[in-house]
């Protein structure tokens, strides 16, 4: 009960932070409180959120994956290259999406082999594979910028679910992705809370030896986790390519900071075992707000990374403080029990 | 039920060696369903190897495992679980971040090969499991927030739920208070009624005499004695375990009359943990402090070492009053502290025995130019190994290669090396076998004779009676009674505690 309360407090804190930040930004720039801007925040969060959901799952399992941005752009770029090479030009984006997810799962499987079969620590394993993946991408698949991406992907960038023209101001466009992204988010939440795979992920984050003794296969769970991250990163990668309307193999590098910061601020414990989808959604929104609007507050673009880095450290510090508070409470409560 | 009552579980003529070293030679034991059996033995006697063979972790070289009607030459872990063999390890193998209900129910889901997980079903599984053993717990609580005793009950509930027929409990009472032990024994009674063959692995002789019908005593991988518990006496059990005639008579050295005080504690208080704590210790005196778990005894010891905050009170060492806010201040004043949980607090487990021995007071070993002198370090380490009779082939092996009793000696040596005026020992012999225990107490005695003062915090009453000059009993954070050398005996202490 205690940790649930704590998480809830963490999520409340995030909501408050988002509200305050919005108020400050809104005071500086009235355009902020327009539908158009709200929809823009959504649009810029889609890809981030997908990556973040993948990272959430790994972090809950007690590991970390820093190869996901490379996996994302590798999958997205390769799917485009493949389609151009074979001159596939389907009418919708199902083919490129399926291709990218498959490539992502494949790359994730390589991570799984390094981690589950060889037992390499997760940070080192994914750091190594991210170098390998990037090398393969730039050497064998392509290092040039592709601006004429397949038509279906290009058109999807402007596929709006609804357009609202307010009496004055800019046209507000809500991208159709809001629906699949919402569904995926709910599915990930259901997976974590309502399937044995999901509970095994939490178990793994709670302790490897105890998980093994419960009869859960540690290796199989780990393998699935890294393949899941690969797949969801592949999806994020192809959607990124589509929304940008270009495929640049140098993109997304360095985005791991934003994503990991969002997940940790969302309350996932870097030590594993804790984390919720709702918290992650809030974390992503907060980071998006900062990235998109800090400039309105007179903070220069180059300081954004510093700000996000600082937020990541704050998030982890809060976790550490809560942890030691909890330890102290536990102590007092055992004394109380004895006093009865 | 009637078929269950006649079922027998156990092993016959088991032999097992590891790389030439014989761990078990021709070991047989048998437990009937509905009985409680005890396996007693010192560290390294083969207890854990036996458990691992029965639970399918190790395969025996020869011999048979008998589970009811069936007989196996070896088991896989999965088969062991299917045949109803369950082990409750000392760490309980619970997941701290999941709820009580989830910890109980997850293995059931796995045995059903379920893909999905439902809160309602989990609650149902957990509640029925707790009902089976007659225990009532908040199943929505996170396991990290509950007491050790509750964790143990959860582990038992989980095992019962998986259709346990033979249940091993490895040192189940180590971290429990007397009240909790009583409750555990009630639960064991329930298991008996359900026809479970329960095996207690323990070296707390009082407890095994209370709960077990039959006993097997192992020494160096052989059965040295077995039979009905009522045919064994306390002394005969410990003699069989150690092969020595170890007495439990008092060994406290005579105390010199003196008005000198090593330390004086005045009105120490921290709400709500303890208050009105005043006492003093003379040079060479061994003062015992006991109390139930949660009485404040551990916090008091930590407070004197500057690791637990205090609201008010004074600590006078020699003539000076010292500030109780950091362990380095306490160290400077000549106070040493050996924590109860040596594994997490007292040792660098992966480091060598030698390095651990010299870790405290490392400054003493500086050679030329402030650099550490390797020769001096080795010399000092080897001296301690000899003085404290630490059993190791190679001092550069990691501390984890040592048995519990020897690890505890390393911790002791580490602190004795600083030559403190007052040494606080919190649970000095927890998890240490009888032979080693006596030797550790003798080390304490010898140092006390040289004038070192000791504060021994322990719930091991016989140990306190053997070694202390005076024992303070803490109840609800206050000193409820003080017994001096003439009054001190086990009954009087047990009575004051309960």
């Amino acid at each position: 009960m205690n940790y649930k309360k704590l998480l809830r407090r963490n999520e409340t804190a995030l909501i408050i932070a988002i509200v305050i930040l919005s108020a400050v930004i809104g005071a500086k720039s009235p355009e902020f409180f327009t539908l158009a801007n709200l929809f823009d925040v959504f649009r810029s969060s889609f890809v981030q959120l997908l990556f973040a959901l993948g990272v959430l799952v790994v972090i809950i399992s007690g590991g970390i994956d820093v190869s996901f941005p490379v996996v994302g752009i590798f999958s997205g770029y390769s799917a485009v290259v493949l389609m151009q090479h074979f001159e596939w030009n389907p009418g919708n984006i199902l083919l490129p999406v399926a291709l990218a997810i498959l490539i992502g799962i494949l790359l994730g499987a390589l991570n799984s082999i390094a981690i589950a079969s060889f037992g390499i620590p997760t940070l080192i394993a994914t750091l190594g594979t991210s170098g390998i993946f990037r090398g393969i991408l730039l050497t064998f698949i392509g290092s040039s910028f592709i601006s004429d991406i397949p038509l279906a992907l290009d058109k999807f960038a402007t596929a709006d679910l609804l357009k609202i023209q307010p009496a004055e101001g800019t046209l507000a466009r809500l991208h159709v992705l809001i629906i699949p992204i919402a569904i995926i988010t709910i599915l990930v939440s259901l997976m974590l809370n309502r399937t044995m795979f999901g509970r095994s992920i939490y178990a793994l984050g709670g302790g490897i030896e105890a998980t093994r003794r419960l009869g859960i296969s540690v290796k199989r769970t780990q393998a699935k986790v890294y393949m899941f991250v690969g797949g969801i990163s592949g999806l994020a990668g192809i959607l990124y390519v589509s929304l940008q309307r270009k495929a640049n193999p140098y993109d997304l590098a360095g985005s791991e900071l934003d994503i990991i910061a969002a997940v940790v601020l969302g309350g996932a414990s870097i030590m594993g075992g804790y984390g919720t989808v709702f918290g992650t959604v809030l974390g992503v929104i907060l980071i998006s707000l900062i990235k998109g609007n800090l400039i309105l507050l007179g903070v220069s673009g180059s300081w954004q990374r510093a700000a996000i880095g600082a937020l990541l450290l704050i998030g982890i510090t809060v976790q550490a403080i809560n942890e030691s508070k909890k330890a102290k409470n536990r102590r007092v409560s055992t004394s109380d029990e004895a006093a009865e | 039920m009637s078929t269950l009552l006649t079922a027998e579980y156990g092993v016959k003529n088991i032999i097992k060696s590891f790389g030439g070293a014989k761990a078990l030679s021709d070991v047989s034991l048998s437990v009937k369903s509905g009985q409680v059996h005890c396996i007693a033995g010192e560290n390294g006697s083969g207890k854990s190897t036996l458990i691992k063979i029965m639970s399918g972790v190790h395969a025996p070289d020869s011999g048979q495992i008998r589970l009811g009607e069936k007989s196996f030459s070896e088991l896989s872990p999965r088969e062991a679980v299917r045949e109803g063999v369950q082990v409750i390890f000392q760490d309980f193998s619970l997941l701290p971040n999941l709820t009580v209900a989830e910890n109980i129910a997850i293995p059931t889901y796995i045995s059903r090969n379920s893909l999905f997980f439902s809160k309602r079903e989990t609650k149902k599984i957990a509640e029925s499991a707790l009902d089976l053993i007659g225990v009532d717990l908040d199943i929505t609580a996170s396991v990290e927030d509950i007491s050790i005793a509750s964790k143990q009950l959860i582990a038992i509930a989980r095992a019962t739920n998986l259709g346990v027929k033979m249940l091993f409990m490895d040192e189940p009472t180590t971290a429990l208070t007397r009240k909790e032990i009583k409750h555990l024994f009630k639960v064991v009674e329930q298991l008996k009624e359900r026809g479970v063959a329960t095996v207690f692995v323990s070296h707390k002789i009082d407890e095994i005499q209370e709960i077990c019908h039959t006993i097997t005593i192992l020494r160096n991988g052989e059965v040295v004695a077995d039979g009905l518990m009522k045919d064994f006496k306390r002394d005969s059990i410990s003699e069989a375990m150690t092969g020595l005639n170890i007495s439990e008579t008092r060994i406290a050295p005579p105390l010199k009359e003196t008005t000198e005080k090593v330390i004086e504690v005045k009105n120490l208080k921290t709400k709500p943990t303890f208050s009105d704590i005043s006492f003093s210790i003379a040079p060479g005196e061994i003062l015992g402090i006991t109390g139930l778990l949660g009485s404040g005894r551990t916090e008091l010891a930590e407070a004197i070492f500057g690791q637990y905050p205090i609201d008010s009170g004074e600590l006078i060492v020699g003539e000076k009053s010292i500030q109780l806010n950091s362990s380095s201040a306490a160290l400077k004043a000549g106070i040493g502290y050996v924590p109860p949980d040596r594994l997490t607090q007292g040792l660098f487990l992966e480091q060598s025995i030698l390095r651990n021995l010299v870790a405290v007071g490392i400054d003493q070993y500086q050679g030329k130019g402030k650099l550490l002198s390797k020769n001096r370090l080795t010399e000092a380490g080897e001296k301690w190994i000899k003085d404290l009779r630490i059993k190791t082939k190679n001092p550069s092996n990691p501390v984890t290669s040592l048995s519990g009793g020897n690890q505890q000696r390393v911790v002791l040596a580490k602190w004795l090396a600083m030559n403190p005026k007052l040494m606080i020992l919190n649970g000095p012999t927890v998890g240490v076998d009888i032979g080693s225990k006596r030797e550790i107490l003798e080390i304490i005695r010898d140092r006390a004779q040289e004038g070192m003062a000791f504060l021994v915090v322990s719930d091991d009453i016989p140990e306190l009676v053997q070694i202390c000059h005076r024992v303070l009993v803490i109840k609800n954070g206050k000193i409820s009674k003080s017994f001096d050398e003439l009054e001190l005996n086990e009954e009087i202490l047990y009575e004051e505690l309960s």
Side-chain angles (χ1 to χ4, degrees), chain A residues 54-67:
Chain A
V55 170
L56 171 70
V57 169
V58 200
I59 286 186
I60 292 173
S61 80
I64 188 77
D65 184 343
V66 293
S67 72

PDB file of all heavy atoms in Angstrom, chain A residues 54-67:
ATOM      1  N   GLY A  54       8.736   1.496 -24.173  1.00  0.00           N
ATOM      2  CA  GLY A  54       9.735   0.425 -24.264  1.00  0.00           C
ATOM      3  C   GLY A  54      10.727   0.510 -23.119  1.00  0.00           C
ATOM      4  O   GLY A  54      10.991  -0.473 -22.425  1.00  0.00           O
ATOM      5  N   VAL A  55      11.237   1.726 -22.896  1.00  0.00           N
ATOM      6  CA  VAL A  55      12.227   1.915 -21.829  1.00  0.00           C
ATOM      7  C   VAL A  55      11.612   1.614 -20.464  1.00  0.00           C
ATOM      8  O   VAL A  55      12.256   1.012 -19.593  1.00  0.00           O
ATOM      9  CB  VAL A  55      12.786   3.353 -21.880  1.00  0.00           C
ATOM     10  CG1 VAL A  55      13.634   3.657 -20.656  1.00  0.00           C
ATOM     11  CG2 VAL A  55      13.610   3.538 -23.143  1.00  0.00           C
ATOM     12  N   LEU A  56      10.341   1.985 -20.269  1.00  0.00           N
ATOM     13  CA  LEU A  56       9.660   1.702 -19.003  1.00  0.00           C
ATOM     14  C   LEU A  56       9.731   0.204 -18.700  1.00  0.00           C
ATOM     15  O   LEU A  56      10.082  -0.204 -17.593  1.00  0.00           O
ATOM     16  CB  LEU A  56       8.202   2.160 -19.082  1.00  0.00           C
ATOM     17  CG  LEU A  56       7.319   1.726 -17.908  1.00  0.00           C
ATOM     18  CD1 LEU A  56       7.712   2.466 -16.639  1.00  0.00           C
ATOM     19  CD2 LEU A  56       5.839   1.956 -18.209  1.00  0.00           C
ATOM     20  N   VAL A  57       9.395  -0.595 -19.708  1.00  0.00           N
ATOM     21  CA  VAL A  57       9.370  -2.047 -19.507  1.00  0.00           C
ATOM     22  C   VAL A  57      10.759  -2.569 -19.116  1.00  0.00           C
ATOM     23  O   VAL A  57      10.900  -3.351 -18.176  1.00  0.00           O
ATOM     24  CB  VAL A  57       8.825  -2.751 -20.770  1.00  0.00           C
ATOM     25  CG1 VAL A  57       9.039  -4.258 -20.691  1.00  0.00           C
ATOM     26  CG2 VAL A  57       7.347  -2.434 -20.945  1.00  0.00           C
ATOM     27  N   VAL A  58      11.807  -2.089 -19.799  1.00  0.00           N
ATOM     28  CA  VAL A  58      13.161  -2.548 -19.440  1.00  0.00           C
ATOM     29  C   VAL A  58      13.532  -2.105 -18.045  1.00  0.00           C
ATOM     30  O   VAL A  58      14.126  -2.866 -17.278  1.00  0.00           O
ATOM     31  CB  VAL A  58      14.264  -1.942 -20.342  1.00  0.00           C
ATOM     32  CG1 VAL A  58      15.511  -2.790 -20.279  1.00  0.00           C
ATOM     33  CG2 VAL A  58      13.828  -1.742 -21.721  1.00  0.00           C
ATOM     34  N   ILE A  59      13.202  -0.847 -17.715  1.00  0.00           N
ATOM     35  CA  ILE A  59      13.606  -0.338 -16.404  1.00  0.00           C
ATOM     36  C   ILE A  59      12.882  -1.100 -15.295  1.00  0.00           C
ATOM     37  O   ILE A  59      13.478  -1.446 -14.282  1.00  0.00           O
ATOM     38  CB  ILE A  59      13.379   1.191 -16.309  1.00  0.00           C
ATOM     39  CG1 ILE A  59      14.458   1.895 -17.141  1.00  0.00           C
ATOM     40  CG2 ILE A  59      13.436   1.677 -14.861  1.00  0.00           C
ATOM     41  CD1 ILE A  59      14.456   3.403 -17.040  1.00  0.00           C
ATOM     42  N   ILE A  60      11.597  -1.410 -15.497  1.00  0.00           N
ATOM     43  CA  ILE A  60      10.885  -2.200 -14.483  1.00  0.00           C
ATOM     44  C   ILE A  60      11.582  -3.544 -14.291  1.00  0.00           C
ATOM     45  O   ILE A  60      11.717  -4.040 -13.181  1.00  0.00           O
ATOM     46  CB  ILE A  60       9.409  -2.412 -14.871  1.00  0.00           C
ATOM     47  CG1 ILE A  60       8.651  -1.085 -14.809  1.00  0.00           C
ATOM     48  CG2 ILE A  60       8.742  -3.409 -13.919  1.00  0.00           C
ATOM     49  CD1 ILE A  60       7.242  -1.173 -15.327  1.00  0.00           C
ATOM     50  N   SER A  61      12.070  -4.122 -15.390  1.00  0.00           N
ATOM     51  CA  SER A  61      12.701  -5.440 -15.277  1.00  0.00           C
ATOM     52  C   SER A  61      14.067  -5.367 -14.603  1.00  0.00           C
ATOM     53  O   SER A  61      14.721  -6.382 -14.435  1.00  0.00           O
ATOM     54  CB  SER A  61      12.844  -6.083 -16.653  1.00  0.00           C
ATOM     55  OG  SER A  61      13.971  -5.551 -17.315  1.00  0.00           O
ATOM     56  N   GLY A  62      14.481  -4.171 -14.233  1.00  0.00           N
ATOM     57  CA  GLY A  62      15.753  -4.030 -13.525  1.00  0.00           C
ATOM     58  C   GLY A  62      16.936  -3.836 -14.457  1.00  0.00           C
ATOM     59  O   GLY A  62      18.074  -3.889 -14.026  1.00  0.00           O
ATOM     60  N   GLY A  63      16.675  -3.621 -15.746  1.00  0.00           N
ATOM     61  CA  GLY A  63      17.771  -3.417 -16.693  1.00  0.00           C
ATOM     62  C   GLY A  63      17.712  -2.026 -17.285  1.00  0.00           C
ATOM     63  O   GLY A  63      17.007  -1.150 -16.777  1.00  0.00           O
ATOM     64  N   ILE A  64      18.479  -1.815 -18.332  1.00  0.00           N
ATOM     65  CA  ILE A  64      18.428  -0.556 -19.059  1.00  0.00           C
ATOM     66  C   ILE A  64      18.790  -0.865 -20.503  1.00  0.00           C
ATOM     67  O   ILE A  64      19.505  -1.817 -20.774  1.00  0.00           O
ATOM     68  CB  ILE A  64      19.388   0.489 -18.426  1.00  0.00           C
ATOM     69  CG1 ILE A  64      19.223   1.876 -19.043  1.00  0.00           C
ATOM     70  CG2 ILE A  64      20.835   0.059 -18.566  1.00  0.00           C
ATOM     71  CD1 ILE A  64      18.028   2.630 -18.589  1.00  0.00           C
ATOM     72  N   ASP A  65      18.223  -0.104 -21.419  1.00  0.00           N
ATOM     73  CA  ASP A  65      18.550  -0.289 -22.822  1.00  0.00           C
ATOM     74  C   ASP A  65      18.882   1.087 -23.376  1.00  0.00           C
ATOM     75  O   ASP A  65      18.038   1.980 -23.357  1.00  0.00           O
ATOM     76  CB  ASP A  65      17.349  -0.905 -23.558  1.00  0.00           C
ATOM     77  CG  ASP A  65      17.664  -1.210 -25.016  1.00  0.00           C
ATOM     78  OD1 ASP A  65      18.661  -0.661 -25.541  1.00  0.00           O
ATOM     79  OD2 ASP A  65      16.921  -1.981 -25.633  1.00  0.00           O
ATOM     80  N   VAL A  66      20.123   1.280 -23.804  1.00  0.00           N
ATOM     81  CA  VAL A  66      20.473   2.573 -24.388  1.00  0.00           C
ATOM     82  C   VAL A  66      20.588   2.458 -25.910  1.00  0.00           C
ATOM     83  O   VAL A  66      20.966   3.411 -26.573  1.00  0.00           O
ATOM     84  CB  VAL A  66      21.780   3.156 -23.803  1.00  0.00           C
ATOM     85  CG1 VAL A  66      21.583   3.519 -22.353  1.00  0.00           C
ATOM     86  CG2 VAL A  66      22.934   2.187 -23.977  1.00  0.00           C
ATOM     87  N   SER A  67      20.243   1.288 -26.449  1.00  0.00           N
ATOM     88  CA  SER A  67      20.373   1.112 -27.893  1.00  0.00           C
ATOM     89  C   SER A  67      19.085   1.486 -28.631  1.00  0.00           C
ATOM     90  O   SER A  67      19.060   1.478 -29.851  1.00  0.00           O
ATOM     91  CB  SER A  67      20.762  -0.333 -28.219  1.00  0.00           C
ATOM     92  OG  SER A  67      19.681  -1.191 -27.993  1.00  0.00           O
TER      93      SER A  67
END
